[in-house]
Every structure is written in structure tokens, then in C-alpha cells.
Amino acid sequence: DENRLELNDDSSIEYDYLVIATGPKLAFEEVEGLGPDGHTQSVCKTGHAETAHIDFKKLVEDPGPVVVGAAPMASCFGPAYEYLFILDTELKKRKIRDKIKMHFVTPEPYIGHLGLDGVGDTKSMLESEMRDRHVHWTTNARITKVEEGKMHFTEVDEDGNDKKEHELEFKHSMILPAFKGVDAVMDIEGLTNPRGFILIDDHQRNPKYQNIFAVGVCVAIPPVHATPIATGAPKTGYMIESMVTATTHNIVNLLKGDEPDQKGSWNAVCLADFGDTGVAFVALPQIPPRNMNWASRGKWVHVAKIAYEKYFLHKVRAAKTEPIYEKTIMKMIGVVRLKESG
């Protein structure tokens, strides 16, 4: 109902403005046997990561094949690459990498696509990283079923036609699922798209329910372009921060009696840690065409990622979302949260 939020305990809350920031539903059920309740691991939640660590320790005790990747319609590919390479680094430290074959399975049309049609030269960078680490890969791969210790997937051609059926045995597997909207908002006409993501305009506001805004992974963003197997566009950290900043300003405008006029820049600044090295990329904006499209690889990224994680947690604890020194440095490289008016 308009201006009323129904809760699970049959109560309700009235509101003037509602901001939906639920995050996604993890759609493990779309692939038989996928997920922590099935036969693969996940790092999408803290509990999932803890369970994955337990399974990793079993791998160390009894080495065997590893399969890492993403399910059809996935949109968040970065953590799969990070997990793959961090795992490779850790196995080398334990002197057992030579006992373990590793395979990367992804619906992306090429390595380094990331749901973004690449950023800078991520294709050659990540392919080179995989060759250096002796990782095999299959792109345009649709995982169809997972059994205990065995993964089934179909490789398709560039037109989406089935090309080859594959089976891979594994001792340890981490597969990122596709995302959907949460059950609470699913199938509300005018609020969500068919997968339950919240429809928004340029000001983060739902076109039908004008007092509802949405931010984060729950927002509906069209794919960058059609791919042989459906992939989505990721919602990265700085992009989400820009959504929140725009939403805050726009609600303040409405409270003043004005119309929303702020748009998030949707810029992306990402550090992908590989355990001993990494890849950094800047996409301004995240969705092409872009004003800046840059990526770089090196050991400095690993150090920078560790430093950033400590810094980010400090910001959360101090409740300072954008300190002046951060804002100044980011602006110097052209990264801002809000688009310039006009």
C-alpha cells in the first residue's frame, strides 16, 4: 500500500519516503546442487566464507581438483577471480599447488569481461595471470547441475547454441550465484523487473511509486550488452556510495519542497587482490561508454587492498563516509560521487 510498509509479523510502518537497500537474494536454487546447502562453496556472506574455509582445510589435508567460477546470469564476477588467485597463492605457500588442478568456469564471453565488457585491458591481464598460474578456463559456460564432487556445464558458441557438454571433478569448488530481488519485493507491479530488482530513474526514484528510492545491489541495471549466456552488470562499492549520496540529496530536496536534481556518477574504482599481486581499475562511469577506462597490474595492488580494507573499516566505525582528504584525492583523479548539473 502507498506510504505503508508491511512487515513479516503482520504489523506495518507508515513512511513519507522509503529507501530500499536490501541487497540481493542469492539464487542458488537456479542450478541444481549449487551453494552451501548443495555441493559448492560461496563467499557472498560471512557464514558462507567460514564454511568455505572449513572445506579449504579439507582440500589441504587431501589435495584434489578445484573449480571456481560463476553461475549463469551472475553479475558479480570480481570476487570469483579474487578467490581463484588468492587460493592459488595460498596453495603455493603451503607447497601443495603442484598437487591441485584448477579450472575457472564462467558465463562471461571472455576472461576479464566482468559483466562490464572489460575495463581497460582486463582481458589480456587476467588471461596472462591465469596462464602464469597454470589455471585452465572455460568461458560461455552454463553450469547446469552440480553433484558431489562433479560439475556439469554446457559450453555455448557466440550465438548461444550448445557447443560441448563438460564434466569436471572437484574436491573443492566456489561458484558465485546469480542474484535476484528479495522475496519481499518480488512481483510488485511497477516496483520491480521480472527478477525482482527495483526499477529506478536517474535520481534513484521508482517511476511509479515516487516516494520510494532504491540503492545498491537491489537496483535494476540493464546488462552492458547481450552475451551468449546472460550476464548482469555488477554494482561496485563506489558506485553504490554515489547512489546513496544522490538519494540523500534528493530526499532533502523533496523535504524542502523542491524536485530531485542529483544523479549518482556511478563511477567504479576497484582493487582486486590476488594474494601476492592484483589488478586495479578505474571506470568513469562504470557503464560504458566511459570518460576513463584504465587498468593496471602489480604487487602494489595487494598492499593497497589491505590498506584500503583497514581504512574502510575505520570510516565505518567513525561514521565518516567521505572525509575531506579522500574527497580531495578522488577529485584529483576525476572520481566524484555526483554528476555535475547541466
Side-chain angles (χ1 to χ4, degrees):
D1 295 335
E2 190 172 359
N3 292 4
R4 185 180 295 273
L5 180 64
E6 301 294 335
L7 305 179
N8 289 332
D9 59 0
D10 296 326
S11 63
S12 62
I13 297 175
E14 292 188 359
Y15 61 85
D16 294 315
Y17 298 100
L18 173 65
V19 179
I20 300 176
T22 60
K25 176 182 179 180
L26 308 177
F28 293 114
E29 76 282 355
E30 293 184 341
V31 178
E32 182 182 346
L34 193 71
D37 292 332
H39 307 292
T40 62
Q41 304 302 317
S42 161
V43 292
C44 295
K45 295 182 177 181
T46 304
H48 291 175
E50 291 173 344
T51 302
H53 183 246
I54 293 171
D55 200 61
F56 163 74
K57 288 192 290 186
K58 293 179 181 178
L59 175 70
V60 172
E61 294 169 0
D62 183 17
V66 166
V67 179
V68 177
M73 299 192 75
S75 55
C76 189
F77 295 98
Y81 286 100
E82 285 191 292
Y83 189 89
L84 176 76
F85 295 135
I86 290 173
L87 181 59
D88 170 82
T89 299
E90 184 61 26
L91 293 173
K92 287 175 181 174
K93 289 178 180 178
R94 294 172 184 256
K95 309 297 184 184
I96 57 173
R97 178 64 180 88
D98 60 317
K99 300 178 181 180
I100 296 173
K101 293 182 179 179
M102 299 181 72
H103 200 112
F104 191 75
V105 178
T106 178
E108 299 164 275
Y110 58 84
I111 292 298
H113 180 277
L114 301 171
L116 295 169
D117 200 12
V119 180
D121 199 16
T122 50
K123 181 179 187 295
S124 64
M125 283 184 185
L126 292 177
E127 281 189 358
S128 174
E129 198 74 34
M130 286 190 172
R131 290 190 182 96
D132 289 345
R133 295 171 183 260
H134 307 286
V135 176
H136 297 281
W137 69 81
T138 305
T139 54
N140 285 328
R142 180 176 64 247
I143 298 173
T144 54
K145 180 181 178 182
V146 184
E147 300 174 305
E148 185 174 357
K150 184 179 290 186
M151 184 168 299
H152 302 262
F153 63 94
T154 303
E155 183 181 358
V156 307
D157 62 22
E158 60 184 15
D159 296 319
N161 301 312
D162 291 358
K163 179 180 176 181
K164 186 177 180 180
E165 299 293 329
H166 295 262
E167 288 184 5
L168 282 177
E169 294 186 353
F170 63 85
K171 275 287 183 68
H172 175 78
S173 177
M174 197 293 293
I175 303 293
L176 294 177
F179 291 166
K180 296 171 66 176
V182 299
D183 292 340
V185 299
M186 186 67 72
D187 299 326
I188 298 178
E189 185 178 354
L191 182 67
T192 68
N193 69 7
R195 287 192 63 81
F197 292 112
I198 310 299
L199 300 169
I200 57 169
D201 60 17
D202 288 344
H203 302 108
Q204 303 295 138
R205 182 163 65 165
N206 180 256
K208 180 176 180 179
Y209 302 97
Q210 293 281 284
N211 58 345
I212 295 180
F213 293 77
V215 299
V217 182
C218 67
V219 164
I221 299 178
V224 172
H225 65 91
T227 51
I229 295 176
T231 58
K235 291 94 171 183
T236 55
Y238 195 86
M239 178 186 189
I240 293 172
E241 290 185 0
S242 76
M243 292 183 188
V244 174
T245 302
T247 298
T248 303
H249 282 278
N250 287 329
I251 290 177
V252 169
N253 280 357
L254 287 167
L255 292 172
K256 292 178 178 178
D258 299 326
E259 284 298 305
D261 62 358
Q262 296 298 318
K263 301 177 183 179
S265 62
W266 287 21
N267 292 328
V269 181
C270 293
L271 300 172
D273 182 14
F274 297 165
D276 53 356
T277 181
V279 169
F281 66 81
V282 178
L284 311 180
Q286 176 171 295
I287 307 300
R290 302 183 178 113
N291 295 316
M292 180 183 292
N293 193 41
W294 173 86
S296 179
R297 179 175 63 173
K299 292 184 181 297
W300 68 270
V301 181
H302 169 64
V303 176
K305 183 65 175 278
I306 293 172
Y308 175 75
E309 287 172 348
K310 295 180 183 297
Y311 166 68
F312 182 82
L313 288 173
H314 165 73
K315 285 204 304 179
V316 172
R317 295 185 182 110
K320 295 181 179 180
T321 65
E322 193 178 27
I324 185 63
Y325 47 85
E326 176 187 321
K327 187 173 184 178
T328 302
I329 292 171
M330 297 297 270
K331 190 172 183 179
M332 288 173 63
I333 61 174
V335 181
V336 293
R337 291 190 182 183
L338 298 175
K339 287 185 177 180
E340 294 183 6
S341 300

